[in-house]
Amino acid sequence: MEDKEAKSPSSGYGKPPWLFKGSALYQLHLVKSETARAFIPTDFRLVEAFGYTLGGFFLASYDDSPAGIFDELVVIAGIVWNPPTSCAWASRVLVNSDEACIHGRKDVGLPSQVARFSKKIAAIPKPAESRINGFLNVIGLGAESYSPKNCQAIKITEIKGPAAADFCNINLTTGSELSSKNWMGPLIKMSLPSYSGRTEYNSHLLKYSCQIECRVRPVSPAKVSGRSKLGIKRQQQSSSECGSSDSKDSTTSGAEDERKLSISVMLSKPILALEFNCLKMQVEPPVVVVPQLSHNSHP
């Protein structure tokens, strides 16, 4: 496979690699293949089994980055295969920083949008104690003491000029997830490669890699809520109807369909959630990818 380094337009980010520090939640979901295919270029093959691919989201809060302090939600539609590598493909990236949005679009080829992240933290009430447990606690035979937990509710709203549209709500449970107090998990290093591009801001097919060093621990999956997802049949019907209208209406309808399908990725079934603490993420400069068009290749 032939790769060439992509030319990066000037920006406040400076020269790559770009360094981000903070914390994140990496949550993996089972995503329906037909939902993921709406985002995957035909040059690539979707990695799937039994009608599903592996997607999910990456929710990060950066306290140090080239764009300063900001939040980011990367919606991962699925895994794609281009010999000899399989990588993640993002269907949508939401950030509350204009500079980060422009950088993502032009320099990395991401489908970035500006959004508002509204956060609220509330204590989770202590569960009611039964009479039996109360008696056992009195005589010293009760269960371990209750560990208080908090719920952080994050409402994410897309902003486009004067218009705003709700995207989703994410509820995170914070507190003592495991037995050891303040345990943040082992320190690990890993690489998360991704494909991007083929957008109105960057027409190239790109590949970039995030070199991550952080402390990782498994946590309870975040609960995601949002508007009902758009059915595939309804999407196809809407697309065909748009063909008879003017190009502006068709473009608007297509963008709305992509937004709703990204929400459906968020609403899909979670299978694993990992919390990244003391996160240091180095993003390497993207390279232009030459697709391998052989349909006989398998991951």
Side-chain angles (χ1 to χ4, degrees):
M1 178 175 64
E2 181 183 358
D3 290 347
K4 301 177 181 178
E5 185 171 338
K7 293 182 179 180
S8 175
S10 60
S11 73
Y13 269 62
K15 295 182 179 180
W18 303 289
L19 183 62
F20 300 78
K21 297 179 180 179
S23 59
L25 175 71
Y26 188 36
Q27 187 158 306
L28 299 177
H29 289 198
L30 288 177
V31 179
K32 289 185 177 180
S33 298
E34 54 184 345
T35 299
R37 281 199 194 94
F39 302 102
I40 307 303
T42 55
D43 310 81
F44 291 156
R45 185 189 185 112
L46 184 67
V47 178
E48 60 181 315
F50 306 106
Y52 289 89
T53 185
L54 192 62
F57 65 87
F58 183 81
L59 176 65
S61 179
Y62 303 116
D63 49 41
D64 185 15
S65 80
I69 299 172
F70 75 96
D71 298 303
E72 178 181 49
L73 173 65
V74 181
V75 183
I76 304 168
I79 305 297
V80 296
W81 171 247
N82 185 51
T85 310
S86 60
C87 298
W89 184 273
S91 65
R92 210 166 195 82
V93 177
L94 302 177
V95 292
N96 55 0
S97 164
D98 290 334
E99 186 178 3
C101 180
I102 294 171
H103 168 75
R105 287 174 173 178
K106 294 184 177 181
D107 293 9
V108 193
L110 293 170
S112 299
Q113 303 287 337
V114 175
R116 180 171 59 245
F117 289 67
S118 303
K119 301 179 182 180
K120 292 183 180 180
I121 297 179
I124 299 177
K126 180 179 179 179
E129 191 176 71
S130 67
R131 291 182 178 180
I132 295 178
N133 285 336
F135 173 73
L136 292 176
N137 286 332
V138 170
I139 63 175
L141 297 177
E144 294 182 358
S145 60
Y146 171 72
S147 298
K149 294 182 181 181
N150 294 325
C151 177
Q152 182 181 43
I154 305 175
K155 181 179 181 180
I156 302 174
T157 306
E158 284 193 30
I159 307 295
K160 194 170 185 179
D166 291 342
F167 186 76
C168 72
N169 297 290
I170 302 175
N171 290 323
L172 307 171
T173 300
T174 60
S176 52
E177 285 284 347
L178 297 178
S179 58
S180 179
K181 186 178 181 181
N182 298 326
W183 187 79
M184 292 190 296
L187 179 66
I188 68 165
K189 294 181 180 181
M190 61 182 170
S191 177
L192 295 179
S194 297
Y195 288 126
S196 61
R198 288 287 169 87
T199 69
E200 61 177 307
Y201 301 98
N202 195 319
S203 60
H204 297 291
L205 273 176
L206 304 173
K207 179 184 177 183
Y208 67 97
S209 180
C210 299
Q211 305 300 326
I212 291 178
E213 178 181 323
C214 63
R215 292 195 174 276
V216 178
R217 66 169 183 168
V219 294
S220 301
K223 295 181 179 179
V224 182
S225 60
R227 295 173 57 186
S228 299
K229 59 186 177 180
L230 181 70
I232 298 297
K233 292 182 180 179
R234 182 180 169 188
Q235 180 207 14
Q236 293 173 342
Q237 180 181 2
S238 174
S239 298
S240 63
E241 289 174 354
C242 286
S244 60
S245 61
D246 57 64
S247 59
K248 183 177 179 180
D249 289 342
S250 178
T251 301
T252 301
S253 176
E256 179 64 12
D257 287 350
E258 288 184 356
R259 192 180 77 86
K260 290 182 178 179
L261 283 170
S262 289
I263 294 174
S264 74
V265 173
M266 295 292 297
L267 297 176
S268 56
K269 183 177 179 60
I271 57 174
L272 177 66
L274 298 174
E275 185 179 86
F276 293 176
N277 290 295
C278 306
L279 171 67
K280 294 181 182 179
M281 181 173 71
Q282 180 174 290
V283 180
E284 304 293 338
V287 295
V288 177
V289 174
V290 177
Q292 304 298 308
L293 299 179
S294 174
H295 295 286
N296 295 322
S297 300
H298 294 280

